[in-house]
Amino acid sequence: MLYVRCWGEPKNKSNVEKYIFNQERNVTREVQEITKKQLVSEREFFFLTEIDMEKVEVGAFLESLDGLQKKVNRFLSTFGLGVTDFESEEVVSPFISDMLDTAEIHGYINRRHTGTICDTYGFNRSYHRGASYYGESVVPETCRETVYLQAEKECIRNSLTNELDRIYQGKRAKKVHGHPVHYMIETDDDETAENTVTTLVQALYENGRVSSRRVTFFEVYGNGRPGLRSQPPVEEFYANCSGTALAITYHGNEEDEGSQASSARSVIEDICRAMQKNRNDVLTILILPKECTKTKEWFSEYLGDISIVELKEEFVSGTEARQILARKAKESHVRTDKQLLGKIQDDEKYLLRDLNHDFEVWYGEKLKRSVYPQYREINAVKKKEQHEQPKGSAFDELTQMIGLSEAKKVIRQALDYYKARKLFREKGMKQTTPSMHMVFTGNPGTAKTTVARLFARIMKDNGVLSGGHLVEVGRSDLVGKYVGWTAPTVKKIFQEAKGGVLFIDEAYSLVDDRDGLYGDEAINTIVQEMENHREELIVIFAGYPDKMEGFLQKNPGLRSRIAFHVPFADYDVDELCEIAGIMADKFGMAFTEDAVDKLKQNFRVAMENSDFGNGRYVRNVLEKARMAQASRLVSMDLDLITRTDVATIRGEDIELPEVKKNVGVKLGFCG
């Protein structure tokens, strides 16, 4: 549904005076009755908002703008009015909502009928009052040449330009027939997403593919938004967007597991169900993060037969980066210099948003040096960046984890190094990028995999890695079944991991009994690819401490390419109890004092066993305790069971393990 404001100079000024602000009660009643009849007989709705001797203003809920002036004059003729010098503009929901308020104040709409108006035309006024997850805009009307110029400035320009070519093929449609495709934009930059949405809608509107230039922006959180208890269902927003475009920004964490992952999938399923239902009435533009492989898989699973055009943020080469910066300087009527172009290196890739930022910083300094030299000595506020704490929820999760002092220290060092490198580069110093590959050594259940996942997200949140995803592999994923398969297999996995972290679990399993076998080929290829992609990803090898030493000795170049060796110590009894408390809290449960004492006894005994699983063992103990608690409760009188009983684990719910004799090498999987 389109929302439109229309106005013009009144034709019959002799009829205007009786309608001026509630002068005659029977006149406003007449207006209300005529307006009310539309709700029953018309698919489109017009209402008076203001009348004076110079202007008549009308609000409208419309299916299209075709014949708008005739429609408005037909509506006004029922009051003996009409307008000349007709003008109109499409407006957003808050504006049309204010027009309804004005009409109520002037008595042109009965307050009791406003709810009926909203229900009839799918308009929900409650969403438009400062909601942080919601926004609207009417994109400016423009021409084809301007649309293409805008697309060239975006880092999605290749895929976006290809889609613009498709949009502009053939003649302009006289009537909107529905949407043959919808869109998926993959970017981490809000400005890039908004500009791409604007360019798409402008092109589609010019070619008759959408009837409105209004875009509704709606943010959806896969696992709930911090500080926001509830959020309106996406289906309700579709009802408000008929005939227009709805841009849905999905925020989700691909590393979530269990109930959180289930919640995210449920949210995505709701979005896709609403897309299916409204596929021809509402153009949907999904906005997802870069490198969101799992999220895209979930969307694909639920989208069914809807066709999606993907628009992806792209990197540009050093040569292209210089051309872009030179063009921006020309548009700003300044000359380039070494301080702008000297930072660009031929062997690096750049995102347009980063180039835009670098240009703006340079341009500000250029103004002080050349145009307004009186400000030459005024420095930018840059020192605060030096003291900024690492960003992102993943870093907070890591710091809150029990133990892991060495892992926390190494990750902090890596972030500090990249922060320093960025500061030095902005001072004109060329920096080399050292290897950041790592070895995680520790027994099962010491959180090696969990830390690797968090590490990948931390590197993305702080601008070190572009993707922040984790690719987890073992020997079976790296070693080919036949001669000549291993090297290509390894190279393919490195391509998948670009922008993120490649986690090689039980890396020592690549070492074969004899030299020259497939495992050696895999290790040699890994060493080569580590060097080839040292600036694009980080490799983490994980395994038991004693076995990892033999693995590192297998290839002379392997050890030299690993910057950090991170030991993951076994948890002590108190740390295991803390972990148990955190796990229980996630289920809304707590331990009694005797249960904590029983846990400590359990852990002391279990730690003597050769196959002790640290954090994994804690999870198993808790699961068994919950089952024991359930058995205890179902045997009680149901009427006597309280909420506290359901949420409490007692000492009697926890079993003590048997002591197993050490038989040599520990067995298990790396955490």
Side-chain angles (χ1 to χ4, degrees):
M1 188 62 64
L2 282 67
Y3 310 135
V4 182
R5 171 182 175 247
C6 313
W7 69 95
E9 185 177 349
K11 284 182 180 179
N12 308 317
K13 295 194 177 183
S14 59
N15 293 335
V16 170
E17 292 184 0
K18 69 176 183 178
Y19 291 104
I20 295 178
F21 190 61
N22 207 21
Q23 285 186 346
E24 300 180 24
R25 188 175 300 276
N26 62 324
V27 170
T28 57
R29 189 180 301 114
E30 175 190 341
V31 175
Q32 290 176 14
E33 288 302 315
I34 293 173
T35 304
K36 178 184 175 183
K37 289 179 181 178
Q38 294 182 88
L39 296 175
V40 178
S41 60
E42 302 291 339
R43 296 179 65 182
E44 298 182 322
F45 180 74
F46 296 85
F47 60 97
L48 287 170
T49 57
E50 290 191 66
I51 304 176
D52 58 36
M53 300 302 292
E54 304 298 327
K55 182 181 74 173
V56 173
E57 184 179 84
V58 174
F61 293 80
L62 303 174
E63 291 186 328
S64 76
L65 298 176
D66 296 339
L68 178 58
Q69 185 172 357
K70 290 183 179 179
K71 293 177 182 178
V72 171
N73 275 315
R74 185 166 60 246
F75 166 70
L76 291 175
S77 68
T78 58
F79 309 113
L81 299 172
V83 293
T84 60
D85 298 329
F86 178 82
E87 295 184 66
S88 67
E89 63 177 356
E90 192 174 354
V91 297
V92 294
S93 300
F95 195 100
I96 201 73
S97 183
D98 290 341
M99 293 184 74
L100 286 171
D101 289 339
T102 302
E104 286 183 5
I105 291 171
H106 289 173
Y108 301 141
I109 293 179
N110 189 308
R111 185 176 296 274
R112 290 175 300 173
H113 297 147
T114 303
T116 306
I117 293 169
C118 294
D119 292 341
T120 302
Y121 298 101
F123 181 65
N124 193 320
R125 303 175 76 181
S126 64
Y127 297 160
H128 313 134
R129 303 295 183 183
S132 59
Y133 51 79
Y134 157 87
E136 278 185 47
S137 67
V138 176
V139 304
E141 192 169 359
T142 189
C143 63
R144 176 175 179 170
E145 181 181 359
T146 303
V147 166
Y148 273 95
L149 287 174
Q150 290 171 177
E152 278 298 315
K153 296 179 180 180
E154 297 303 321
C155 50
I156 300 181
R157 65 187 187 282
N158 290 334
S159 53
L160 179 56
T161 301
N162 290 338
E163 175 56 19
L164 292 178
D165 291 341
R166 285 190 286 263
I167 291 172
Y168 281 103
Q169 284 178 2
K171 296 181 180 180
R172 185 185 191 277
K174 294 182 179 180
K175 183 179 180 181
V176 178
H177 296 287
H179 305 294
V181 298
H182 297 263
Y183 297 94
M184 180 183 291
I185 299 172
E186 295 176 43
T187 179
D188 294 323
D189 184 60
D190 293 339
E191 184 177 357
T192 296
E194 185 174 346
N195 291 343
T196 303
V197 170
T198 297
T199 302
L200 274 175
V201 173
Q202 286 174 327
L204 292 167
Y205 181 80
E206 188 186 5
N207 285 272
R209 293 269 297 278
V210 291
S211 57
S212 167
R213 290 181 285 114
R214 190 174 97 245
V215 182
T216 300
F217 292 88
F218 180 46
E219 295 187 57
V220 178
Y221 291 79
N223 299 315
R225 183 176 183 179
L228 190 65
R229 289 188 177 181
S230 62
Q231 193 166 325
V234 68
E235 174 61 39
E236 295 186 18
F237 276 85
Y238 272 95
N240 204 48
C241 295
S242 178
T244 69
L246 175 60
I248 301 175
T249 300
Y250 175 81
H251 302 280
N253 177 10
E254 293 209 333
E255 303 305 327
D256 287 334
E257 298 177 351
S259 60
Q260 287 187 321
S262 177
S263 172
R265 287 178 67 96
S266 176
V267 170
I268 291 173
E269 185 178 7
D270 290 342
I271 294 172
C272 295
R273 188 184 300 114
M275 284 182 65
Q276 289 274 11
K277 182 179 178 181
N278 301 275
R279 61 192 301 173
N280 287 319
D281 294 327
V282 180
L283 175 71
T284 301
I285 305 173
L286 298 171
I287 302 172
L288 307 182
K290 277 174 61 64
E291 308 296 344
C292 54
T293 306
K294 186 184 297 183
T295 300
K296 284 177 62 178
E297 288 177 357
W298 289 344
F299 271 102
S300 297
E301 180 180 342
Y302 296 118
L303 280 174
D305 57 354
I306 290 182
S307 298
I308 295 291
V309 174
E310 295 186 28
L311 306 173
K312 297 183 179 181
E313 192 172 8
E314 304 148 7
F315 288 92
V316 298
S317 66
T319 300
E320 291 176 298
R322 290 192 185 90
Q323 293 172 348
I324 291 169
L325 292 174
R327 186 192 71 222
K328 292 180 69 67
K330 184 177 180 180
E331 291 173 352
S332 301
H333 308 291
V334 293
R335 292 183 177 181
T336 59
D337 56 30
K338 289 184 178 180
Q339 287 184 310
L340 176 64
L341 302 181
K343 301 176 184 178
I344 305 301
Q345 300 180 26
D346 291 331
D347 57 349
E348 287 195 15
K349 299 289 186 180
Y350 300 89
L351 286 171
L352 187 59
R353 70 167 186 266
D354 297 329
L355 294 176
N356 289 338
H357 171 74
D358 290 346
F359 178 82
E360 294 301 329
V361 172
W362 170 83
Y363 184 64
E365 292 299 317
K366 186 80 170 181
L367 289 178
K368 291 190 294 183
R369 291 195 309 270
S370 304
V371 184
Y372 304 106
Q374 64 267 37
Y375 295 103
R376 186 189 298 269
E377 301 303 321
I378 306 298
N379 294 319
V381 183
K382 191 66 180 176
K383 288 187 177 180
K384 66 176 184 178
E385 184 175 336
Q386 181 179 351
H387 303 290
E388 281 184 349
Q389 293 299 310
K391 303 172 185 176
S393 60
F395 185 82
D396 295 337
E397 289 181 45
L398 177 65
T399 56
Q400 293 168 11
M401 290 184 71
I402 306 302
L404 308 175
S405 58
E406 283 298 319
K408 295 174 183 177
K409 176 182 175 182
V410 167
I411 291 173
R412 189 61 183 258
Q413 286 177 342
L415 291 174
D416 286 343
Y417 172 76
Y418 272 94
K419 182 192 296 183
R421 181 172 176 259
K422 180 181 178 183
L423 292 171
F424 294 156
R425 184 177 65 184
E426 291 182 354
K427 292 179 179 294
M429 298 173 62
K430 187 174 181 179
Q431 298 291 308
T432 59
T433 303
S435 166
M436 295 296 294
H437 307 306
M438 302 180 176
V439 167
F440 285 4
T441 56
N443 290 320
T446 49
K448 296 187 291 298
T449 304
T450 300
V451 170
R453 290 189 182 123
L454 291 175
F455 176 67
R457 288 169 52 197
I458 291 168
M459 293 295 105
K460 177 188 176 183
D461 291 342
N462 290 273
V464 179
L465 294 174
S466 62
H469 58 294
L470 182 82
V471 176
E472 184 178 351
V473 296
R475 178 186 171 94
S476 61
D477 303 301
L478 296 167
V479 175
K481 295 181 180 179
Y482 306 103
V483 175
W485 282 27
T486 296
T489 299
V490 172
K491 290 179 180 180
K492 182 180 178 181
I493 288 173
F494 268 80
Q495 287 296 321
E496 292 175 5
K498 282 177 65 174
V501 171
L502 176 58
F503 184 77
I504 302 178
D505 201 6
E506 293 187 310
Y508 48 78
S509 64
L510 293 171
V511 178
D512 294 317
D513 296 335
R514 294 183 292 112
D515 293 336
L517 298 180
Y518 295 159
D520 285 352
E521 183 182 2
I523 295 172
N524 294 337
T525 309
I526 288 170
V527 171
Q528 179 183 346
E529 292 297 295
M530 287 169 66
E531 186 62 27
N532 293 342
H533 301 285
R534 61 187 297 168
E535 296 187 17
E536 299 173 314
L537 57 80
I538 295 173
V539 179
I540 297 177
F541 300 97
Y544 299 137
D546 52 347
K547 293 188 176 183
M548 288 303 295
E549 182 59 32
F551 167 71
L552 295 175
Q553 293 177 357
K554 186 65 177 178
N555 186 294
L558 187 57
R559 189 185 295 273
S560 63
R561 286 173 171 78
I562 295 174
F564 298 100
H565 293 251
V566 186
F568 285 71
D570 290 338
Y571 295 105
D572 61 29
V573 170
D574 290 334
E575 289 173 336
L576 293 171
C577 286
E578 287 187 66
I579 293 171
I582 292 171
M583 289 181 178
D585 186 61
K586 289 182 178 179
F587 292 110
M589 307 185 77
F591 297 103
T592 61
E593 289 188 14
D594 66 318
V596 173
D597 292 338
K598 195 74 169 289
L599 279 175
K600 290 181 178 180
Q601 296 179 45
N602 184 306
F603 295 149
R604 290 192 187 99
V605 174
M607 290 171 68
E608 298 297 321
N609 294 326
S610 59
D611 58 351
F612 178 61
N614 285 284
R616 293 181 185 175
Y617 179 77
V618 176
R619 185 182 296 111
N620 292 336
V621 169
L622 180 58
E623 289 174 354
K624 290 180 180 179
R626 292 179 67 200
M627 287 188 285
Q629 181 222 33
S631 297
R632 174 171 54 81
L633 293 178
V634 296
S635 65
M636 296 171 57
D637 186 339
L638 185 62
D639 294 333
L640 299 178
I641 298 175
T642 65
R643 288 181 176 270
T644 301
D645 292 329
V646 174
T648 303
I649 294 177
R650 300 178 179 177
E652 61 195 278
D653 300 323
I654 298 171
E655 298 179 1
L656 293 178
E658 296 181 2
V659 179
K660 301 178 183 178
K661 295 182 179 180
N662 292 334
V663 292
V665 180
K666 287 188 178 183
L667 300 176
F669 297 92
C670 290

